[in-house]
Amino acid sequence: MPHTSQMNPPQREAVRYLDGPCLVLAGAGSGKTRVITQKMAYLIDAGGYEAKHIAALTFTNKAAAEMQERVAKLLKDPQQASDLTVSTFHSLGVKILRQEAKELKLKNSFSILDSADCFSLVQDLSATTDKQLIRRTQNAISLWKNALLTPDEAVKAAADENEVYAARIYRNYCATLSAYQAVDFDDLIRLPVELFTANDGARDRWQRRLRYLLIDEYQDTNACQYELVKLLVTGVGKKPMFTAVGDDDQAIYAWRGATLENLKTLQTDFPDLKLVKLEQNYRSSTRILHAANAVIANNPKLFEKKLWSEHGLGDPIAVTAMDDDEHEAEHVAMLLSAHRFERRAKFSDYAILYRGNHQARVIEQALRKERIPYTISGGQSFFDRAEIKDIVSYLRLIANGDDDPAFIRAVTTPKRGVGQTTLEVLGQFAGQWQCSLFEAVYKGGIEAKLPDRQLRPLRAFCDFINQLEGRAGGKGASGKGASGRGENAAAVLDDMMKEIRYEAYLYDTFDDRQAVEKWQHVTEFTTWLKEKGTGGKTGDDGEKTLLELTQMVALMTMLEGREDTADAVRLSTLHAAKGLEFPHVFLIGVEEGILPHRGDPDAPAESLAARIEEERRLMYVGITRAQRSLHVSWCKKRKRAREHVVCEPSRFIEEMQLNQGNAPATLEETLTPQDRLANLKALLNGAKK
C-alpha cells in the first residue's frame, strides 16, 4: 500500500475514497499531483484495480510524463505503471479515434492537422489575406467545436454579420477536413463525444476498458471535455468512478473555452459527489498566502477555501510605484541582482511575471544591460515559424509518404497548380481506398476522378519527392524508388531548395523586409542541417543521410519546449507560469488596463464582471507562484506607441490588504537597489582583500 501515512488528513481522505465520484478542491501548492499519483498507486495496490483499467487525464505532456514517473516509484511492481493510461485529453482522443476509425468513416491513417495547417485551410476558404480576420474565424470555429455546436447551429447562434460569415466558413471547413480524411486538434475530443453519444457499443467498449478516471486541472476543462468524461463514467447500472482535481480560484482559460460551469454542473450531475478540500499550502510563506486569500476573497465563491502554511511569516511583500516602464525594468534588474547577491541565490530562483508578452521587451533590454541571463516562456519556437514548417514538410514527406498533412503543405507551398478542389477529390479517393494522399496519386482509377490538367502537376510533384527520397537513402515515398545508403545530405538538400524555388516564392508573397527575414531563417536552418549531416561544427560522429536528419529534426521538434535547466531568470506571462513556482517573484505592470486587462468597454455589465473575476484569478495565480519573496510594481505612466499615458495602480494591489506604511522603514528598506548592490560589492571586495 502506498505510504499515505505521510500525507495530511484531507490528502489521505482524497486518496482512499473509492465509493463513488470525488471532487478534490486543491488550492495552489497544496500537493494535487501527489494526491493523483498516490491515488493511482492506491487503486492498484489496495483498491483491486488493474493498471490497464485506470486513466489519468491532464493538459500537458510534461505533466503526464511526470505523473507516470512518480507512480512507478510508488508501486510495489513499478512495471505496472506502463499499463496505465496517463495522457492529455487529446492523446486519449487520438487513441479512441485510431481504434474506432471505421465507426467514424475515417481511414486508419487519418491525418491530424496542426494549428498552422488549419490556418492555411481557413485562409483558402476565406479568400482573404487579413490575418487577424482569419485568426478570429479560426478561433470561433475552435470555440464552436468545443461547445459541441454544428455548423448549422453556429449559423443560428451567430450574433452579427462577422459570426454569420465565420459560421459559413465553418461549414466549408468541416466538409474540406472530411474530404481530406483529416481532423483538427478540437476534433480529437469532439469526435469521440459524438461517437459515444450515438454508438452504445463503442461507448461500452471504452467504459469497460477505462474503469476509473482521474482528471487533473479540472477547472480548465471545456464543455466538450466534460461531456467526454461524463460519457466514459456514466451508464445504465454503472456507478460513476472518478476523481476530479481542480481549483476554481485558478480558472484562467475562459478565452479558450474552459468554463467554471463544469464545477457547478458536476454537483448536479453527480449528487453523491464527495468533496475534499486541500487548503494546506506547501509552497509559500504566510504573508504571500494572506495577500492571495485577500485578493481572491473579492470573487464570488463556488466553494469556500482558505490557504494556510507552516512556512512562517516570510519576507514583507514590496509594492513599488515606478515613473515609467523603463524605470520599472531598470529597478527590477538592479533589485534582482542585489537580492541575488544578498541571498547567495541562483538566477533560476527568480521569475519576472507579466500580463502580456509585449511587456517583456523593455525587461529584456534591462537584463541584458546588467548581464543577467534569462529565458522566456511561451516564446515562438524556431521550428514553429511558417517558413521552417514549409521546408520541414518536404523532409517529412520524403521520410514518410503516409504523412498527409506534410503532403498537403508541401504540394501547395509554393503554389504549383494544385488547388483545394483537386485535394478534396484526392482526399475522397484516398478515403475510399484507405490509403495516403501520396499513394492515391498513383492508384488506378484516379484518372476517372481527376482530369489530366489536375492530375499532371500532382504526379510531377510526387515523382520529384520519389526522386529525392531515393537519393536520400530510401525506397521513395510511394515505395517505388531505389534503396541504399543515400547521397550526401547537403547535395540533396541544395537540389531540393533549388527545385522548389522557395526564395522566389517568399519575395512573390511577402514584402521585401519580411521576405529577407524569412529567407534568413531558412538559410540558417538549412546550413544547420548540412553541418549536422557532415558532422562538421556540431561535433557529431560520421555523416548523416537526409532521412536520418529528418528523423533527428522530428525528434527535436517534439523535445523542444522541455524545461530549460540553465541557471537563468525566467520571464513569463502569468498564463504560462501557471503550475510553476519560484523562490522569488517580480510581478510587474500591475496597473488598471494591464492587470486587469483592458477589455471591451461596451461589453454588457455581466461580461465585464466575469472578465474582472478572471483577471483577479490571474493575479491570484501570479501571487501564489512565489515561495519566499514577492515584489509587485506599477508605473505612473507608460509608453504606448509614441506617447506616454498616465496609469493607475491596479485595484488588486489594494485588495492584497498589505497595510503598507504602518511600520517605520528600516535603513535597509530606504536604500535604493543601486545603493544595496554597491554596498554588497564593496563588502565582497573588502573580504577578498
Side-chain angles (χ1 to χ4, degrees), residues 160-188:
D160 53 41
E161 285 186 13
N162 288 335
E163 287 192 8
V164 170
Y165 172 78
R168 286 173 181 155
I169 299 295
Y170 179 25
R171 181 183 285 118
N172 293 334
Y173 175 86
C174 289
T176 305
L177 278 183
S178 178
Y180 283 0
Q181 283 283 296
V183 299
D184 64 17
F185 203 57
D186 300 309
D187 288 331
L188 300 180

Side-chain angles (χ1 to χ4, degrees), residues 37 104 134 144 155 193 347 476 533 567 602 616 634 637 645:
T37 52
L104 289 158
I134 297 165
W144 282 324
V155 170
V193 167
F347 284 116
D567 184 23
D602 299 323
R616 186 174 283 115
W634 64 279
K637 58 183 179 181
V645 295

Side-chain angles (χ1 to χ4, degrees), residues 128-329:
T128 179
T129 56
D130 184 342
K131 290 192 174 181
Q132 282 192 324
L133 177 60
I134 297 165
R135 193 72 68 196
R136 282 199 301 271
T137 303
Q138 186 179 9
N139 187 57
I141 290 171
S142 176
L143 290 174
W144 282 324
K145 285 193 173 190
N146 288 328
L148 294 171
L149 287 179
T150 65
D152 288 343
E153 289 168 336
V155 170
K156 290 177 184 175
D160 53 41
E161 285 186 13
N162 288 335
E163 287 192 8
V164 170
Y165 172 78
R168 286 173 181 155
I169 299 295
Y170 179 25
R171 181 183 285 118
N172 293 334
Y173 175 86
C174 289
T176 305
L177 278 183
S178 178
Y180 283 0
Q181 283 283 296
V183 299
D184 64 17
F185 203 57
D186 300 309
D187 288 331
L188 300 180
I189 312 294
R190 182 182 68 87
L191 289 176
V193 167
E194 289 186 359
L195 172 69
F196 292 158
T197 302
N199 188 319
D200 290 340
R203 180 179 176 182
D204 183 60
R205 273 195 299 277
W206 283 90
Q207 283 190 349
R208 281 187 280 111
R209 182 176 304 184
L210 305 178
R211 297 179 185 178
Y212 200 100
L213 284 190
L214 299 105
I215 305 102
D216 186 24
E217 303 286 11
Y218 179 74
Q219 77 283 348
D220 293 339
T221 56
N222 58 38
C224 196
Q225 287 160 338
Y226 176 58
E227 197 61 31
L228 178 62
V229 168
K230 200 162 64 167
L231 286 163
L232 284 170
V233 301
T234 56
V236 177
K238 175 180 169 61
K239 190 174 188 178
M241 299 299 291
F242 68 87
T243 295
V245 182
D247 182 9
D248 51 333
D249 291 336
Q250 295 187 76
I252 58 173
Y253 292 112
W255 51 275
R256 69 181 189 195
T259 173
L260 274 174
E261 286 299 314
N262 287 351
L263 274 167
K264 296 178 187 175
T265 310
L266 201 62
Q267 298 174 93
T268 306
D269 289 344
F270 302 96
D272 296 333
L273 185 72
K274 169 81 169 176
L275 177 65
V276 181
K277 296 181 186 178
L278 304 184
E279 297 173 289
Q280 182 175 358
N281 176 284
Y282 291 92
R283 174 187 300 159
S284 306
S285 66
T286 299
R287 277 189 171 120
I288 290 168
L289 293 183
H290 170 79
N293 286 331
V295 167
I296 206 65
N298 291 277
N299 270 2
K301 305 294 267 182
L302 280 176
F303 306 98
E304 285 298 330
K305 178 176 88 282
K306 195 166 187 178
L307 296 180
W308 59 276
S309 167
E310 293 179 341
H311 282 316
L313 202 57
D315 295 355
I317 295 174
V319 176
T320 313
M322 301 295 179
D323 292 337
D324 56 31
D325 42 354
E326 288 185 6
H327 178 219
E328 180 180 48

Side-chain angles (χ1 to χ4, degrees), residues 549-571:
L549 286 179
T550 302
Q551 291 160 356
M552 180 194 70
V553 169
L555 182 62
M556 287 193 69
T557 56
M558 285 189 288
L559 293 179
E560 211 176 57
R562 284 191 174 181
E563 288 303 303
D564 196 335
T565 56
D567 184 23
V569 175
R570 176 70 66 92
L571 270 59

